[in-house]
Amino acid sequence: MAPRSLAAFLKAARSALTAPASQRPKPLTLVIGNESADLDSLCSAILLAYFRSHTPPHNASLHVPLCNLPRADLALRPELQAALAGTSSVPKLKSDSDSTPDTQGGVPLDSLITLSELPDDLVADDTKWLLVDHNALTGNLAKRFQSSVAGCIDHHVDEGVVPTNVYGFPRVIETCGSCASLVVEYAQDAWRQLSEQEPDQTTDRVLARLALAPILVDTSSLKSANKTTDTDRRAAAVAEAVLGVSGEGKSAFNASYETDAEYNRSAYYDELSRLKNDLSTFTYSDILRKDYKQWTEKTRSGGSLTVGFSTVSQGLGYLLKNIGDKNALLDGLYTHAKERNLDIAVIMTVQHDEGGFARQLLLWALNEPAVHAVKRFVETNTDKLDLKPWGDGQQDTTASDSGEWHTCWTHRTEFSRKQIAPLLRDAMKSWLWKTTQML
Ligand SMILES: [Mn+2]
């Protein structure tokens, strides 16, 4: 049986992954979130790996929760440190060398397992992959391990690549605010049985906070009408029942948990939001890769366009005031795009204070085909998204003279990357398809 404490579980999982090839479990099961490596992805992967490792018959193999980021990028996520702390008191930001678990059962950031620990000699045939918070591997992982994807639990548009009916693996794709809610729903029976057979209130409190962190952040503390679903409410109730907070979910658990006097939903949400939205110590390079996703659309004849989306938890006004001026922003975005060979670079912002809640969309098409695809996106979606030029238009260039184009809009606030990325990818595909027809 896998260790009950989260610290010991993560240690065992790391040992399984980093053991010499001959001693590694075969197949090795990995659970991974999407490449933005946001709270939802990271917490969902840890929770699903933990519960499956403790549930018959899956506990026959220890599941490794893999954070979809290089180790150095953990430091860009203070909100994750808070979610892992197992307590509501302001978390200490521990240094990388300090891996002593604290007495609350929480774990430090550096106890997590990242892409930096993924062995180069690990081959697809010796692995099974369970995806959370996405349903298609991306980038290098897709090239190496796509053939071994066995299941998913996700709340994005189905890309149709996760096989159906792989024995023993879920294939759940449902709309809801947070993927962590789907994980809690999937795992709650296992959690209840575990809590009865091997009671450990300290660990269960850490797990409950890990579940609540993304659920609250992704649904604005269950208050966002267009994001929150019944699944989110039920999952939050289950996790809060574990914290002994009375509510409808208490009946889901027979175990009687003591009330965690330190937990307060709105205080926890406020603290996570504050940490997530405080970008003041970061550079543009940090901010653009903190919550980042990239896709390539291809045609059979060899045409391809790559887009990268950086989601930023503050508005453009905040960035220009606190991080660097317009030239610094455009320089930062250009460097970010060139390092990743992007044809289109996108920044999506969330503005909270100055001028009220709003979202901005900065699009930069870096070459002629990209300009065509972006124009197509704008023509098709201006009404739907209610695109309006942002500010005084000084971020904009004209397309025709330079073979590139950047411009900035505000748009309807109910559209996030989850909706806008598929629309832009459709425009890219449609342009690629049209040019193929012309050849
Ligand atoms: Mn998500």
Side-chain angles (χ1 to χ4, degrees), residues 174-185 188 191 208 211-212 214-242 245-253 263 265:
E174 278 174 40
T175 304
C176 71
S178 174
C179 179
S181 300
L182 296 173
V183 171
V184 169
E185 182 153 89
Q188 61 176 319
W191 194 354
L212 284 160
I215 296 172
L216 297 179
V217 166
D218 288 348
T219 63
S220 305
S221 200
L222 303 176
K223 286 178 184 154
S224 166
N226 56 20
K227 288 187 192 155
T228 314
T229 65
D230 285 340
T231 311
D232 297 305
R233 286 186 206 96
R234 282 198 305 270
V238 166
E240 289 187 343
V242 171
V245 177
S246 58
E248 56 200 301
K250 195 147 194 175
S251 58
F253 278 79
Y263 176 76
R265 185 195 288 171

Side-chain angles (χ1 to χ4, degrees), residues 122 141 179 246 288 313 319 356 359 366-367:
L122 189 65
L141 288 174
C179 179
S246 58
L288 295 175
S313 59
L319 296 181
R359 287 179 185 268
L366 290 125
N367 52 49

Side-chain angles (χ1 to χ4, degrees), residues 34 38 40-41 133 154-156 177-179 218 418:
N34 72 50
D38 63 0
D40 195 25
S41 274
D133 205 19
D154 183 30
H155 63 150
H156 292 83
S178 174
C179 179
D218 288 348
K418 203 176 272 109

Side-chain angles (χ1 to χ4, degrees), residues 111 298 315 327 409:
S111 65
K298 286 185 186 135
N327 289 332
W409 288 277

